Amino acid sequence: MVLTVEDKRPVNLDLTTIKLPLPGFASIIHRVTGFAIFLALPILLWVLDQSLMNEGSFDALQETLNGFLVKLILFAILAGLIFHLVAGVKHLLMDAGIGETLEGARRGAGITIVLSGLLILIAGAWLWLPM
Amino acid sequence: MVTNVTNLGRSGLSDWMMQRITAVVLGAYFIMMLGFFACHPQLSYEQWHSFMGNTAVRIASLISFLAVAGHAWVGLWTISTDYFKPTGIRFLFQAACGLALMVYFVWGVQILWGF
Ligand code: HEM
């Protein structure tokens, strides 16, 4: 790259020297989960397809989803969706001007993490505990 | 004004709005699905089939599939402009994402009307 203007902006690319505050942590996880859901969409579409095709494929799907590894993958996708949803709602609230202060942002990120953690636990219980 | 040729609505503000509207649509669809599953713990094929085959649910699903495509396009576009500086790489990434989203959408429509 050719720099024509002398560039004196500070550069700090050693990520380990940066301490990420809680709202920053929630933000990057929101981005990672958004991208992960995008990558997982073919899996979800395949599940939808198998679940609807006919009774046989529905039963076979239930069998497949009961496998430990498959269930774990499903759980990871659900966890990503739950976090993205909760953080997304927080995002929309902040866009509407709610909690748009430094203190509010910290509290919002804290609530997002605790609430989505709880919902993820419930999703895990729903997947693994017999009902 | 900075003009851009690869974003969805030719304007950052309209993309921003589109991402929010589609987020609300997806959130509503997600919660509707959660509600259905919560009400049917021992889901049978008949129940699931008739629920998803209901015209209102089919329309909701179709709108949500459209919303995913729009929402993810804006989101992935934002990500690409943050991390990929060289135009060629950025364009390739965007093209791959756009193609994937189109395939997802058509596949989704085929599933919705193929059972
Ligand atoms: C179902 C599939 C979904 C996919 C594939 C998806 C994907 C993405 C991606 C890739 C981004 C960009 C992240 C970034 O710019 O850092 C994003 C942003 C966003 N998502 Fe989603 N998302 C989905 C569902 C949802 C839902 C259900 C909500 C509910 C409220 C939501 C709310 C948001 C919001 C508010 C943003 C904007 C964040 C920002 O401007 O930084 N998304 N999404």
Side-chain angles (χ1 to χ4, degrees), chain A residues 27 30-31 34-35 37-38 41 81 84-85 88-89 91-92, chain B residues 19-20 23-24 26-27 30 68 71-72 75-76 78-79:
Chain A
S27 173
H30 185 237
R31 170 163 285 191
F35 191 64
I37 300 165
F38 164 70
L41 282 174
L81 257 172
H84 193 86
L85 176 82
V89 170
H91 217 295
L92 295 176
Chain B
Q19 196 174 30
R20 266 93 199 134
V24 172
L26 289 171
F30 193 71
V68 171
H71 182 89
L76 295 164
T78 309
I79 292 177

Tab-separated table of all heavy atoms in Angstrom, chain A residues 27 30-31 34-35 37-38 41 81 84-85 88-89 91-92, chain B residues 19-20 23-24 26-27 30 68 71-72 75-76 78-79, ligand 1:
chain	number	residue	atom	x	y	z
A	27	SER	N	-21.639	-7.479	21.783
A	27	SER	CA	-21.722	-7.074	20.384
A	27	SER	C	-21.020	-8.052	19.452
A	27	SER	O	-21.566	-8.438	18.409
A	27	SER	CB	-21.129	-5.672	20.229
A	27	SER	OG	-21.043	-5.331	18.869
A	30	HIS	N	-22.915	-11.216	19.192
A	30	HIS	CA	-24.084	-11.033	18.326
A	30	HIS	C	-23.686	-11.188	16.860
A	30	HIS	O	-24.384	-11.828	16.082
A	30	HIS	CB	-24.698	-9.645	18.578
A	30	HIS	CG	-25.973	-9.399	17.838
A	30	HIS	ND1	-26.144	-8.344	16.970
A	30	HIS	CD2	-27.142	-10.075	17.833
A	30	HIS	CE1	-27.363	-8.398	16.467
A	30	HIS	NE2	-27.995	-9.424	16.973
A	31	ARG	N	-22.543	-10.621	16.501
A	31	ARG	CA	-22.057	-10.738	15.130
A	31	ARG	C	-21.690	-12.183	14.793
A	31	ARG	O	-22.088	-12.703	13.745
A	31	ARG	CB	-20.845	-9.815	14.935
A	31	ARG	CG	-20.128	-10.033	13.633
A	31	ARG	CD	-19.238	-8.883	13.281
A	31	ARG	NE	-20.014	-7.739	12.814
A	31	ARG	CZ	-19.493	-6.664	12.238
A	31	ARG	NH1	-18.198	-6.585	12.061
A	31	ARG	NH2	-20.256	-5.673	11.836
A	34	GLY	N	-24.794	-14.238	14.428
A	34	GLY	CA	-25.483	-13.925	13.172
A	34	GLY	C	-24.854	-14.675	12.017
A	34	GLY	O	-25.544	-15.287	11.195
A	35	PHE	N	-23.518	-14.657	11.962
A	35	PHE	CA	-22.828	-15.354	10.883
A	35	PHE	C	-23.000	-16.866	11.018
A	35	PHE	O	-23.194	-17.574	10.022
A	35	PHE	CB	-21.337	-14.973	10.879
A	35	PHE	CG	-20.619	-15.440	9.648
A	35	PHE	CD1	-20.966	-14.930	8.399
A	35	PHE	CD2	-19.625	-16.396	9.723
A	35	PHE	CE1	-20.322	-15.367	7.251
A	35	PHE	CE2	-18.971	-16.839	8.573
A	35	PHE	CZ	-19.314	-16.322	7.338
A	37	ILE	N	-25.525	-18.486	12.340
A	37	ILE	CA	-26.884	-18.874	11.920
A	37	ILE	C	-26.942	-18.944	10.395
A	37	ILE	O	-27.518	-19.862	9.818
A	37	ILE	CB	-27.948	-17.889	12.442
A	37	ILE	CG1	-27.936	-17.833	13.964
A	37	ILE	CG2	-29.343	-18.298	11.974
A	37	ILE	CD1	-28.689	-16.641	14.518
A	38	PHE	N	-26.313	-17.976	9.760
A	38	PHE	CA	-26.262	-17.989	8.288
A	38	PHE	C	-25.657	-19.301	7.792
A	38	PHE	O	-26.174	-19.948	6.885
A	38	PHE	CB	-25.457	-16.786	7.783
A	38	PHE	CG	-25.010	-16.884	6.363
A	38	PHE	CD1	-25.938	-16.804	5.328
A	38	PHE	CD2	-23.674	-17.058	6.050
A	38	PHE	CE1	-25.525	-16.892	4.002
A	38	PHE	CE2	-23.253	-17.150	4.736
A	38	PHE	CZ	-24.175	-17.070	3.701
A	41	LEU	N	-28.057	-22.350	8.316
A	41	LEU	CA	-29.367	-22.379	7.658
A	41	LEU	C	-29.599	-23.641	6.800
A	41	LEU	O	-30.699	-24.182	6.824
A	41	LEU	CB	-29.576	-21.108	6.819
A	41	LEU	CG	-29.960	-19.861	7.650
A	41	LEU	CD1	-30.010	-18.621	6.773
A	41	LEU	CD2	-31.297	-20.047	8.352
A	81	LEU	N	-29.091	-18.928	18.081
A	81	LEU	CA	-30.334	-18.223	17.733
A	81	LEU	C	-30.866	-17.448	18.939
A	81	LEU	O	-31.272	-16.291	18.807
A	81	LEU	CB	-31.382	-19.235	17.287
A	81	LEU	CG	-31.645	-19.351	15.794
A	81	LEU	CD1	-32.565	-20.515	15.510
A	81	LEU	CD2	-32.259	-18.068	15.255
A	84	HIS	N	-28.670	-14.426	19.659
A	84	HIS	CA	-28.839	-13.408	18.612
A	84	HIS	C	-30.192	-12.708	18.759
A	84	HIS	O	-30.294	-11.495	18.572
A	84	HIS	CB	-28.723	-14.053	17.232
A	84	HIS	CG	-28.575	-13.068	16.113
A	84	HIS	ND1	-27.360	-12.558	15.727
A	84	HIS	CD2	-29.479	-12.476	15.311
A	84	HIS	CE1	-27.531	-11.703	14.739
A	84	HIS	NE2	-28.814	-11.627	14.462
A	85	LEU	N	-31.211	-13.477	19.110
A	85	LEU	CA	-32.554	-12.914	19.283
A	85	LEU	C	-32.590	-11.946	20.466
A	85	LEU	O	-33.046	-10.808	20.336
A	85	LEU	CB	-33.567	-14.044	19.494
A	85	LEU	CG	-35.006	-13.612	19.783
A	85	LEU	CD1	-35.738	-13.283	18.500
A	85	LEU	CD2	-35.774	-14.689	20.529
A	88	GLY	N	-30.517	-9.040	19.818
A	88	GLY	CA	-31.169	-8.267	18.766
A	88	GLY	C	-32.275	-7.398	19.328
A	88	GLY	O	-32.416	-6.225	18.955
A	89	VAL	N	-33.056	-7.955	20.248
A	89	VAL	CA	-34.120	-7.174	20.886
A	89	VAL	C	-33.506	-6.027	21.680
A	89	VAL	O	-33.981	-4.886	21.621
A	89	VAL	CB	-34.998	-8.074	21.795
A	89	VAL	CG1	-35.939	-7.222	22.638
A	89	VAL	CG2	-35.793	-9.063	20.953
A	91	HIS	N	-30.768	-4.592	20.983
A	91	HIS	CA	-30.318	-3.654	19.950
A	91	HIS	C	-31.461	-2.741	19.516
A	91	HIS	O	-31.314	-1.523	19.410
A	91	HIS	CB	-29.823	-4.453	18.743
A	91	HIS	CG	-28.642	-3.840	18.069
A	91	HIS	ND1	-28.723	-2.623	17.446
A	91	HIS	CD2	-27.376	-4.260	17.922
A	91	HIS	CE1	-27.540	-2.334	16.936
A	91	HIS	NE2	-26.710	-3.311	17.218
A	92	LEU	N	-32.629	-3.359	19.275
A	92	LEU	CA	-33.793	-2.593	18.818
A	92	LEU	C	-34.245	-1.608	19.893
A	92	LEU	O	-34.607	-0.469	19.591
A	92	LEU	CB	-34.934	-3.538	18.438
A	92	LEU	CG	-34.658	-4.458	17.241
A	92	LEU	CD1	-35.805	-5.429	17.013
A	92	LEU	CD2	-34.407	-3.647	15.981
B	19	GLN	N	-32.979	-3.928	7.954
B	19	GLN	CA	-32.457	-4.918	8.888
B	19	GLN	C	-33.312	-4.968	10.155
B	19	GLN	O	-33.529	-6.035	10.722
B	19	GLN	CB	-31.008	-4.579	9.232
B	19	GLN	CG	-30.275	-5.740	9.865
B	19	GLN	CD	-28.806	-5.427	10.067
B	19	GLN	OE1	-28.434	-4.279	10.261
B	19	GLN	NE2	-27.973	-6.443	10.019
B	20	ARG	N	-33.813	-3.805	10.583
B	20	ARG	CA	-34.657	-3.765	11.785
B	20	ARG	C	-36.028	-4.374	11.537
B	20	ARG	O	-36.545	-5.127	12.352
B	20	ARG	CB	-34.814	-2.317	12.287
B	20	ARG	CG	-33.801	-1.952	13.345
B	20	ARG	CD	-32.567	-1.299	12.774
B	20	ARG	NE	-31.425	-1.329	13.666
B	20	ARG	CZ	-30.211	-1.670	13.276
B	20	ARG	NH1	-29.993	-2.045	12.035
B	20	ARG	NH2	-29.210	-1.650	14.118
B	23	ALA	N	-35.724	-7.979	11.304
B	23	ALA	CA	-35.428	-8.540	12.630
B	23	ALA	C	-36.717	-8.748	13.411
B	23	ALA	O	-36.912	-9.783	14.061
B	23	ALA	CB	-34.478	-7.626	13.408
B	24	VAL	N	-37.628	-7.780	13.343
B	24	VAL	CA	-38.897	-7.904	14.063
B	24	VAL	C	-39.721	-9.064	13.484
B	24	VAL	O	-40.286	-9.880	14.223
B	24	VAL	CB	-39.691	-6.576	14.004
B	24	VAL	CG1	-41.087	-6.751	14.577
B	24	VAL	CG2	-38.946	-5.482	14.760
B	26	LEU	N	-38.585	-11.745	11.949
B	26	LEU	CA	-37.953	-13.005	12.338
B	26	LEU	C	-38.175	-13.303	13.812
B	26	LEU	O	-38.417	-14.445	14.194
B	26	LEU	CB	-36.450	-12.955	12.032
B	26	LEU	CG	-36.110	-12.988	10.543
B	26	LEU	CD1	-34.642	-12.725	10.316
B	26	LEU	CD2	-36.510	-14.330	9.961
B	27	GLY	N	-38.096	-12.269	14.637
B	27	GLY	CA	-38.342	-12.464	16.069
B	27	GLY	C	-39.756	-12.973	16.301
B	27	GLY	O	-39.961	-13.921	17.076
B	30	PHE	N	-39.992	-16.644	15.124
B	30	PHE	CA	-39.269	-17.496	16.064
B	30	PHE	C	-40.133	-17.756	17.303
B	30	PHE	O	-40.262	-18.899	17.760
B	30	PHE	CB	-37.961	-16.794	16.445
B	30	PHE	CG	-36.972	-17.668	17.158
B	30	PHE	CD1	-36.308	-18.682	16.487
B	30	PHE	CD2	-36.671	-17.445	18.488
B	30	PHE	CE1	-35.388	-19.476	17.146
B	30	PHE	CE2	-35.748	-18.231	19.152
B	30	PHE	CZ	-35.110	-19.254	18.482
B	68	VAL	N	-35.287	-13.469	6.188
B	68	VAL	CA	-33.933	-13.987	6.450
B	68	VAL	C	-32.988	-13.525	5.349
B	68	VAL	O	-31.880	-13.043	5.616
B	68	VAL	CB	-33.906	-15.535	6.516
B	68	VAL	CG1	-32.471	-16.039	6.573
B	68	VAL	CG2	-34.662	-16.043	7.721
B	71	HIS	N	-32.394	-9.722	5.749
B	71	HIS	CA	-31.683	-9.445	7.004
B	71	HIS	C	-30.233	-9.922	6.933
B	71	HIS	O	-29.309	-9.190	7.281
B	71	HIS	CB	-32.420	-10.171	8.134
B	71	HIS	CG	-31.851	-9.956	9.495
B	71	HIS	ND1	-32.246	-8.907	10.294
B	71	HIS	CD2	-30.934	-10.638	10.219
B	71	HIS	CE1	-31.591	-8.968	11.441
B	71	HIS	NE2	-30.788	-10.007	11.422
B	72	ALA	N	-30.057	-11.144	6.480
B	72	ALA	CA	-28.706	-11.690	6.439
B	72	ALA	C	-27.878	-10.977	5.363
B	72	ALA	O	-26.671	-10.785	5.540
B	72	ALA	CB	-28.754	-13.199	6.183
B	75	GLY	N	-26.700	-7.834	6.950
B	75	GLY	CA	-25.739	-8.173	8.002
B	75	GLY	C	-24.404	-8.626	7.437
B	75	GLY	O	-23.337	-8.188	7.873
B	76	LEU	N	-24.466	-9.521	6.440
B	76	LEU	CA	-23.225	-10.042	5.867
B	76	LEU	C	-22.492	-8.955	5.099
B	76	LEU	O	-21.255	-8.912	5.080
B	76	LEU	CB	-23.539	-11.240	4.952
B	76	LEU	CG	-24.109	-12.449	5.704
B	76	LEU	CD1	-24.759	-13.427	4.735
B	76	LEU	CD2	-23.022	-13.134	6.512
B	78	THR	N	-22.514	-5.791	5.885
B	78	THR	CA	-21.852	-4.981	6.911
B	78	THR	C	-20.554	-5.640	7.353
B	78	THR	O	-19.508	-4.990	7.463
B	78	THR	CB	-22.783	-4.810	8.135
B	78	THR	OG1	-24.052	-4.350	7.685
B	78	THR	CG2	-22.198	-3.831	9.133
B	79	ILE	N	-20.641	-6.951	7.608
B	79	ILE	CA	-19.453	-7.684	8.039
B	79	ILE	C	-18.362	-7.582	6.975
B	79	ILE	O	-17.191	-7.326	7.278
B	79	ILE	CB	-19.816	-9.161	8.334
B	79	ILE	CG1	-20.714	-9.237	9.580
B	79	ILE	CG2	-18.559	-9.986	8.533
B	79	ILE	CD1	-21.184	-10.642	9.912
C	1	HEM	C1	-32.813	-16.236	11.600
C	1	HEM	C2	-31.770	-15.886	10.993
C	1	HEM	C3	-30.884	-14.689	11.291
C	1	HEM	C4	-29.690	-14.509	10.668
C	1	HEM	C5	-29.035	-15.428	9.633
C	1	HEM	C6	-29.128	-13.281	11.187
C	1	HEM	C7	-27.905	-12.758	10.789
C	1	HEM	C8	-27.421	-11.538	11.147
C	1	HEM	C9	-26.154	-11.003	10.752
C	1	HEM	C10	-25.111	-11.725	9.893
C	1	HEM	C11	-26.048	-9.754	11.284
C	1	HEM	C12	-24.872	-8.795	11.132
C	1	HEM	C13	-24.111	-8.685	12.400
C	1	HEM	C14	-23.270	-7.457	12.483
C	1	HEM	O1	-23.422	-6.529	11.660
C	1	HEM	O2	-22.448	-7.398	13.394
C	1	HEM	C15	-27.260	-9.497	12.007
C	1	HEM	C16	-27.541	-8.307	12.657
C	1	HEM	C17	-28.684	-8.062	13.403
C	1	HEM	N1	-29.639	-9.005	13.764
C	1	HEM	FE1	-29.816	-10.837	12.933
C	1	HEM	N2	-29.986	-12.716	12.101
C	1	HEM	C18	-31.078	-13.559	12.214
C	1	HEM	C19	-32.159	-13.373	13.078
C	1	HEM	C20	-32.369	-12.254	13.884
C	1	HEM	C21	-33.462	-12.119	14.808
C	1	HEM	C22	-34.534	-13.177	15.100
C	1	HEM	C23	-33.351	-10.911	15.375
C	1	HEM	C24	-34.344	-10.459	16.426
C	1	HEM	C25	-34.462	-9.364	16.988
C	1	HEM	C26	-32.163	-10.249	14.812
C	1	HEM	C27	-31.695	-8.963	15.110
C	1	HEM	C28	-30.593	-8.366	14.543
C	1	HEM	C29	-30.233	-6.959	14.680
C	1	HEM	C30	-31.001	-5.898	15.462
C	1	HEM	C31	-29.046	-6.774	13.952
C	1	HEM	C32	-28.273	-5.463	13.749
C	1	HEM	C33	-27.026	-5.426	14.537
C	1	HEM	C34	-26.174	-4.237	14.220
C	1	HEM	O3	-26.616	-3.289	13.542
C	1	HEM	O4	-25.028	-4.247	14.675
C	1	HEM	N3	-31.578	-11.113	13.909
C	1	HEM	N4	-28.084	-10.595	11.929
